[in-house]
Amino acid sequence: MQINYPRLLADLRQLATFGQVGTGVHRLSFTSEDREARHWLLQRMTEAGLDAQIDGIGNVYGQTKGVNKAVLIGSHTDSVPKGGWLDGAMGVLYGLELARARLEAGDLTDLGIDVISFADEEGTYRALAGSLSFCGHLSEADFAATTNQLGKTLHAVLLEAGYAGRPRVTLDPSRHVAYLEGHIEQGPRLEVEGKKIGVVTGIVGIRRLQVTCTGQADHAGTTPMHLRKDAGSALIKYCHDLIRRFEQIRGANSVWNFGQVMFEPGAGNVVPSAARVLIEFRDATEATIDRMQAEIQAAVTTADGQGGVNVQATELIRVSPAEMDANLAALIETAARARGASTLRMPSGAGHDAMVLSRHVSTAMLFIPSIGGRSHDIAEDTDEADICLGIEVLADTVRALNQKA
Ligand code: HGY
Ligand code: MN
Ligand code: MN
């Protein structure tokens, strides 16, 4: 199996043209850019000789023909708003290049390589939707109940995309012997510690809640302050209170983010009738996450009814912390060291499809450095030499799996 670096890098650059924004991409799930990228990937898989399809949730899946057992390799090709060109895309194109190189080598006795781009990992509609569907955790009823921020359902957007009603691909425990995901680190540790390959030990748990304050719209010039039911000010006070509470009960590595606020109707001269904030928080320990969620609720109870404003919290996302397979992680570590690459065992603070897969199949992840630790921004980048080293380590990991099979 001979990796073709120029071809891998050219594919990465080509994929980055779909939804290109400067040096990054804006490729939200199921938009035309995302769909065009999926279609392009489908063609690349087919050209490579894989049996490829886009399924009923938009997962792009390419199977090696003529084998009963395969390693599944992938990630996602959707992005956050104004995101980077490598987040997810690299893991998918690692899979494509490895599958292609295997077919070119013509050793048909080896384990097959199946490639997947999971839909909506970034959660425009539902975080990890594609991998949840692949592992049997998402029903058609969920499609109708899941919406984006504008209230459009996943069902509606799948119909629009032409994916609705297609069969959905699923994990096949008798075929898929392992799931491997290569990814950029998206943080600074590898670079700061001068290491080349991150061997992921586990992935943090993630929860996202929306807190909504409901008051009353009024003229912002004529309504005396004491008569207002100001949802906007209530939300700002709520957030301050919550930050104070989080700081008191946090774990050493807990993180939280107030990622989006919306005021309605949203004008300088109207008292906000409603205000919403998205709060996401993460920790490697479920008990700490539970404690943080309890604080969100306690702060709601304190704020609710103050100044005539009602406050409530709704849970949107809940993903438990996940552990990677220790044996598979050791194979990655050994493969990296055999190539003279320095390694670092590390947890992932970012979510990945691997956290869903890991509950069903032996799963491991490899990280390569992110320049300046930047990600979820168009500034995201990685040295080409590191991209090439990462795929070689993954290729060696697949070779090691073949020796075990
Ligand atoms: O949200 C995450 O951690 C990932 O980038 N989807
Ligand atoms: Mn991401
Ligand atoms: Mn990602």
Side-chain angles (χ1 to χ4, degrees):
M1 190 158 70
Q2 183 80 38
I3 306 300
N4 183 331
Y5 299 147
R7 182 172 60 185
L8 167 67
L9 295 169
D11 275 350
L12 275 166
R13 298 284 174 198
Q14 176 89 43
L15 181 51
T17 63
F18 296 95
Q20 179 174 357
V21 182
T23 55
V25 293
H26 186 83
R27 204 161 55 222
L28 304 189
S29 296
F30 310 118
T31 55
S32 54
E33 305 81 65
D34 177 57
R35 275 143 53 186
E36 282 161 21
R38 285 176 193 285
H39 189 70
W40 171 82
L41 179 62
L42 176 75
Q43 284 178 325
R44 292 303 270 161
M45 286 180 176
T46 307
E47 285 160 16
L50 297 171
D51 188 1
Q53 61 177 300
I54 302 181
D55 84 343
I57 196 165
N59 285 334
V60 190
Y61 179 53
Q63 266 198 340
T64 297
K65 299 171 193 166
V67 295
N68 299 321
K69 302 240 174 252
V71 183
L72 180 67
I73 303 180
S75 192
H76 60 99
T77 50
D78 64 314
S79 83
V80 293
K82 295 185 186 160
W85 67 297
L86 294 168
D87 178 359
M90 191 189 77
V92 173
L93 295 186
Y94 271 9
L96 173 64
E97 178 55 31
L98 286 165
R100 205 160 38 191
R102 176 196 173 277
L103 287 169
E104 283 168 352
D107 190 350
L108 302 181
T109 60
D110 276 4
L111 288 167
I113 296 177
D114 295 344
V115 188
I116 193 154
S117 167
F118 290 113
D120 203 19
E121 191 270 349
E122 298 288 10
T124 301
Y125 288 79
R126 172 76 183 261
L128 305 165
S131 43
L132 286 168
S133 166
F134 190 72
C135 294
H137 297 299
L138 216 54
S139 68
E140 299 284 330
D142 293 326
F143 290 5
T146 302
T147 60
N148 69 2
Q149 280 293 310
L150 301 172
K152 187 173 191 174
T153 65
L154 179 55
H155 177 72
V157 83
L158 290 173
L159 267 178
E160 214 172 85
Y163 304 150
R166 295 186 189 185
R168 284 193 275 155
V169 294
T170 51
L171 181 76
D172 178 353
S174 69
R175 175 181 178 90
H176 297 126
V177 300
Y179 173 67
L180 295 174
E181 186 168 346
H183 208 284
I184 50 165
E185 180 199 348
Q186 307 184 273
R189 279 193 67 190
L190 289 172
E191 191 178 76
V192 167
E193 300 193 29
K195 308 286 190 194
K196 283 295 177 193
I197 298 290
V199 181
V200 179
T201 50
I203 305 178
V204 292
I206 305 174
R207 286 204 208 153
R208 188 183 297 170
L209 274 82
Q210 178 169 268
V211 171
T212 304
C213 296
T214 313
Q216 178 176 297
D218 272 307
H219 196 294
T222 60
T223 314
M225 294 307 284
H226 71 284
L227 292 180
R228 297 181 184 205
K229 296 177 179 174
D230 181 348
S233 294
L235 189 82
I236 291 167
K237 283 185 202 153
Y238 175 86
C239 292
H240 273 285
D241 182 37
L242 186 62
I243 291 169
R244 187 185 55 78
R245 288 168 181 269
F246 275 174
E247 278 165 355
Q248 279 167 3
I249 57 108
R250 63 174 296 170
N253 297 312
S254 302
V255 294
W256 57 86
N257 186 43
F258 296 80
Q260 189 184 45
V261 287
M262 285 173 294
F263 284 9
E264 286 173 19
N269 57 1
V270 184
V271 175
S273 56
R276 279 179 259 281
V277 61
L278 287 182
I279 308 165
E280 196 173 279
F281 47 106
R282 305 180 182 209
D283 196 274
T285 311
E286 192 99 67
T288 305
I289 303 179
D290 286 339
R291 219 160 60 220
M292 294 172 84
Q293 186 154 349
E295 288 302 326
I296 291 185
Q297 200 46 55
V300 164
T301 305
T302 304
D304 189 30
Q306 300 280 329
V309 176
N310 293 324
V311 185
Q312 61 176 42
T314 315
E315 184 179 304
L316 301 178
I317 291 176
R318 174 185 285 249
V319 194
S320 294
E323 300 217 336
M324 299 295 100
D325 184 289
N327 293 327
L328 209 47
L331 289 185
I332 293 177
E333 191 169 50
T334 307
R337 289 193 180 154
R339 281 192 176 265
S342 50
T343 59
L344 181 68
R345 288 188 167 234
M346 60 188 298
S348 172
H352 299 287
D353 294 299
M355 63 201 305
V356 179
L357 274 288
S358 67
R359 295 180 219 291
H360 302 274
V361 60
S362 297
T363 292
M365 284 193 79
L366 158 165
F367 282 167
I368 58 169
S370 292
I371 295 173
R374 302 295 307 279
S375 188
H376 280 189
D377 185 80
I378 64 169
E380 171 190 290
D381 204 4
T382 291
D383 282 339
E384 288 187 348
D386 290 341
I387 295 174
C388 297
L389 175 65
I391 195 170
E392 288 292 6
V393 173
L394 213 55
D396 289 344
T397 307
V398 171
R399 290 182 185 109
L401 278 172
N402 271 305
Q403 274 164 13
K404 287 186 144 203

